[in-house]
Structure formats: structure tokens, C-alpha cells
Amino acid sequence: MQAEYVIIGAGSGGCAMAGRLAEAGRKVIVIEHGGTDAGPLIQMPGALSYPMNMKRYDWGFRSEPEAELNGRRMATPRGKVLGGSSSINGMVYVRGHAKDFDTWEEMGATGWGYADVAPYYKRIESWDSGGHGGDADWRGKGGPLHVSRGKRDNPLVRAFVEAGAQAGYDVTPDYNGEKQEGFGPFEATIHKGERWSAYKAYLKPALATGNVEIVRGLARRIVMREGRAVGVEVERRGRIEVIMALEEVILAASSINSPKLLMLSGIGPAAHLAEHGIEVVADRPGVGANLQDHLELYIQQAATQPVSLFKYWNLFGKGLVGAQWLFTRTGPGASNQFESCAFIRSRAGIEYPDLQIHFLPIAVRYDGQAAAEGHGFQAHVGPMRSKSRGSVTLRSADPADAPVIRFNYMTHPDDWTEFRAGIRLVREVFAQEAFAPYRGHEIQPGDAVQSDAALDAFIRAHAESAYHPCGTCRMGRADDPMAVVDPEGRVIGVEGLRVADSSVFPQITNGNLNAPSILVGDKMADHVLGRTPLPRDNAAPWIHPNWREAQR
């Protein structure tokens, strides 16, 4: 079995890559261990807490005990299904701040500055503001990825933005446009009431061209001959076989599985590979290093009026929502309920936002457990650019074994300062007049939790991953010993092999990672095809004019 290009992983980057290669007439095989995305639990946006907690759709990774988080082993869901994590995520769409990409370029990812990536975001998007404003000139209209805004008809959703303005923050019409900083409407990969995954956007249309074939199986390792990737060893239907790549192998298996597969294939830190009896093809110490993620906390407030989504949090209510969605693709089930958000700076002297706030008109956890208190609302808040770094390493040379994941969360002192600031700033927003008609007592952390020590104890016990791992095969200059791929995604030190997923991020971006993960697959496809990159877009993003002196 063979094709010009063999892509490992049908996730955000892999689907985008396959779609663009197929569009150019290339023959592609996509290897995916997971199965179909069919079924209401994936397709209904309001059911988002289900698929990410189901073994059928999730690899089920867990971190090693995290020393700064009371030794907790943190859930690390990654999509094991067509569409990858874009089929099980919260559907939030955030490009990232312009400065994130300029930082990538400064770190050696030449050609990935904001002026370079903005045209690709326009190419990716089919944007619909839903009548809620926005920056049309900054957005894309004809792309494969549908991006939309919720109805925003819940009074709590509107109160959040009003409260932000009352607290002295800017209101932004479009955080994915000129101005990320401020409070405003959230965006999601939802189309006509359904999840719009990377599979639906890119891979499904590509299959219709006849240029792409999906192979179900577990990729075990990349087959290397004389320093060149020539195929992929796959276990499927109980047998091991090799799928040959006539041109290139493209690794898009996630920031957890991509470094694992490189190491199993002899590409990684030589001493670590030797520990597991793996012959070294290329000594790349950066493989599996530089792991980053976003941590967040839920600040939960009781509501004094029955305006939250808690009224549906019972068997009858869920049945009603499910039926309305099944028959009409409307109602609460047609939204991920993340309809308002904020990007703010934790203190003066920070040039662009370092805190993201997701607002939700119910008090609930990602695992679907609602607060026992009943009606409420919450904000998820956490630092965007933690200085802590972790790693992904091999547990053994057996491809069936999960890798060792160490995030080293909260190991940098700045993390604590930023996190405490985030909690206090959210509390200040919830204390504004806009929330007065609805505001009850604070459920979590609780009014008694005020001192730095009390907040730190709460963070240790309750901080959760936002499920944004990245950075483990980072882009950089070819002469950078810790870089794994060059700015065109080519693995340094070998031939015929690229990486095209969130593992190539030199530094984590502001906000949720699905959009920049798709960006990587879409833009890398032009590099694979040898095309001239799209012309740069030099529109200047908004930066707070008094950022040195003012926090807002």
C-alpha cells in the first residue's frame, strides 16, 4: 500500500494538510487510530462534556503526579476519532494574539510572524458574526472552516460584557480581528447548530475527490532508510504492515503522540533512546521537550434568579434539549454555551493580554458535574503564557504504551502571581453593577479564600488543564540544537519527514489552540507543495496605548 504522502493522524493539522494536498491533486493516505465521528454526542455542541470523557473518542492520557498540584495526575484528553481533538473539544475558536506569532518568528520560526499567518487565517475561515458586530476586513469569508457566534440571548452572557466595561476594560467587537484585548462575544466552530470539526471542513470533502484514503490502525513507528522516512509501520486488523510514502511522511499525531512516534523511530535525545534500546537515527534533544499547556480555575457564583442553564440539568430538561436539537438543530444544544469572553492583562507593564476568561451561564465542570447549589454562573481564568515547561518521554519501546507526560505545572514563581491576579480580577468583574440582579454568594473558591496563601492552596487543589498541550517538536532555525523542525515543518537531520500539528509551536498562543493547530496544517501544506506563501498582510493589531502604565 502506498501514496505520495502518508499523514499520521486525522486531527486538526492532519485534516487541513490532507485537504490542501488533495485539492492540489496529490494522492494521500491518512492513518487514524480512532473511528467515525458519527453520533449526536459529538455533533451536538451542548453535549461537549461527553465525548472528551469517553474512551471511544479519547486516548485517555494522564500526566505523572504534578508536584505543585498536590501530586494530582491530570487528565490529558486527545481526540482518537476522525477530526482528532477538533471532534471532542469545546469548539472555541481563537486565532491567538498577533504578538504570539511575532514571538514565534523571533524564536526562529521565520515566515510565521503575524503578517505571514493572517492571510492563512483568512483562507481558512468562513466567518459569520451572527449579527454581533466584528471586523469583517480582518476575517475570511470563503474558507472551509465555519466560525460563528452564539445567539447571546442569555442575560448572564450579556451581563458579563457589561460588567467588564463597568470595571473599566475595553469592549472588543472581535478578539480575532484588530483588537484581542477586552470583553466581547466568543466564537466557535459551529455551523447550523452542529460541531464543525477539521474532519468536516477538510478531510470529508477531500475524500470525495478520490485523492485521499483513510487507513484505520495504530501507527507504530516511521520507517527510516539511510536517514530518510520512506513509510509508516501500522498495526491493523491484528497484523503489522508498512504503508509506503513515495514523497513524504507527515506527522500530525498531536503534541503527545508526535514526539512519541519520533522517538520510537530513532529521532530524539540519544541517551533517552539508548535507555530503551532504540537505534539513533538523529540525535534531536528537543523532541518531547518544551511541553506547554494552559491551566485554569473555575470561579463560580450562585445566581439569585433562575436564569442559568441549570434549569435543563435534569433528566427531563436534558431530554427536552436533546429532542429540540435532534429535530431542529436549535435551542441550548446548538451552542457550546461559551458566548462571552475576555482577554485582559494581569498588570501594567505587560504589552498584550496574558489572561483569558471564558464565561459560562451555569456552574459546571468539564466532566459534566454541575454544582450542587443549583443556579449559578462561572468564569474560567488562567495565565496564557506560563513559563513552566514540561516533557513527553517514552515509557518503553512498545508502541502500545502511553508516553510519560510531565507538565511541571506551576513550577515558575510568575505562574502563582498571574493566577492570583486572575482570580481577583474575575471577582472584581463579578462584583460590578451588571451582575447585581443575579449575584448570590461565591460558590468557589468561596468568600473566605482571600489571602495569597489561601488562594495558592485553592489553586493546588482545584486548577485544571484547559487541554491545550503543545510545543514538543518546536519550530526553529536549522542550527538551533533544541529545534525539532525547521520553519517549513521538516524534521531537522532527516529527509522526507515533516511535523504539522500543535507540537511545532515554539510558544503557546493566547487562547484555545484549535485555530492555530489548523493554521499549521493549512500553511504547512503550501510548504509541502513548494508554493510561494500567500502575500503578507501588514495590518497593525491594536495594542493598549498605555500598557506600560495601566492594567486596563
Side-chain angles (χ1 to χ4, degrees), residues 406-419:
R406 289 190 178 88
F407 286 102
N408 298 328
Y409 291 123
M410 306 301 291
T411 49
H412 194 284
D414 290 358
D415 295 342
W416 297 94
T417 308
E418 291 161 9
F419 229 132

Side-chain angles (χ1 to χ4, degrees), residues 163-171 181-183 343-350 355 421-422 424-430 432 542 544-552:
Q166 288 167 354
Y169 292 99
D170 283 297
V171 171
E181 186 167 339
F183 283 63
F343 290 89
I344 62 174
R345 292 173 297 114
S346 61
R347 57 182 170 80
I350 293 171
L355 294 172
R424 288 173 171 141
L425 291 168
V426 167
R427 282 172 158 171
E428 185 190 5
V429 171
F430 280 177
Q432 299 300 313
W542 186 89
H544 195 294
N546 298 321
W547 64 267
R548 288 181 180 85
E549 296 80 36
Q551 182 261 330
R552 64 191 83 174

Side-chain angles (χ1 to χ4, degrees), residues 55-270:
K55 284 183 179 174
R56 176 180 172 185
Y57 301 128
D58 171 31
W59 281 86
F61 297 130
R62 298 189 79 78
S63 76
E64 298 303 295
E66 287 288 334
E68 294 297 328
L69 298 179
N70 293 345
R72 288 186 288 144
R73 298 187 70 201
M74 309 297 280
T76 310
R78 292 292 85 196
K80 187 179 68 175
V81 57
L82 292 171
S85 295
S86 77
S87 289
I88 67 167
N89 68 357
M91 291 153 282
V92 172
Y93 183 82
V94 184
R95 287 178 168 189
H97 196 282
K99 286 280 179 184
D100 291 328
F101 299 101
D102 292 342
T103 301
W104 284 15
E105 185 149 67
E106 288 163 15
M107 293 173 79
T110 308
W112 289 84
Y114 184 69
D116 302 295
V117 303
Y120 283 92
Y121 273 131
K122 287 182 180 177
R123 181 169 93 171
I124 287 165
E125 294 170 355
S126 187
W127 176 72
D128 177 9
S129 72
H132 298 299
D135 287 346
D137 291 347
W138 291 67
R139 309 306 300 275
K141 290 292 190 297
L145 190 75
H146 286 282
V147 178
S148 63
R149 297 178 175 189
K151 288 193 168 182
R152 312 190 74 233
D153 50 10
N154 186 294
L156 293 168
V157 167
R158 297 193 298 273
F160 178 71
V161 177
E162 288 166 29
Q166 288 167 354
Y169 292 99
D170 283 297
V171 171
T172 176
D174 189 351
Y175 65 81
N176 282 317
E178 180 183 12
K179 181 179 181 178
Q180 188 194 62
E181 186 167 339
F183 283 63
F186 233 157
E187 297 194 335
T189 48
I190 296 172
H191 182 52
K192 294 182 177 175
E194 289 189 11
R195 177 191 291 274
W196 196 257
S197 65
Y199 168 69
K200 284 184 179 174
Y202 288 94
L203 190 52
K204 200 173 178 181
L207 291 167
T209 67
N211 290 330
V212 178
E213 184 180 351
I214 295 172
V215 170
R216 291 277 312 281
L218 175 69
R220 291 170 50 87
R221 59 179 58 84
I222 297 147
V223 178
M224 306 294 299
R225 279 195 201 138
E226 295 171 6
R228 182 176 184 86
V230 295
V232 180
E233 184 182 286
V234 180
E235 183 179 340
R236 64 178 190 140
R237 300 178 189 146
R239 295 189 306 117
I240 292 173
E241 58 186 275
V242 175
I243 296 171
M244 301 301 292
L246 302 176
E247 295 288 340
E248 291 187 17
V249 173
I250 297 160
L251 186 51
S254 83
S255 56
I256 308 299
N257 276 325
S258 288
K260 173 189 163 183
L261 278 163
L262 286 177
M263 288 184 277
L264 288 172
S265 310
I267 302 160

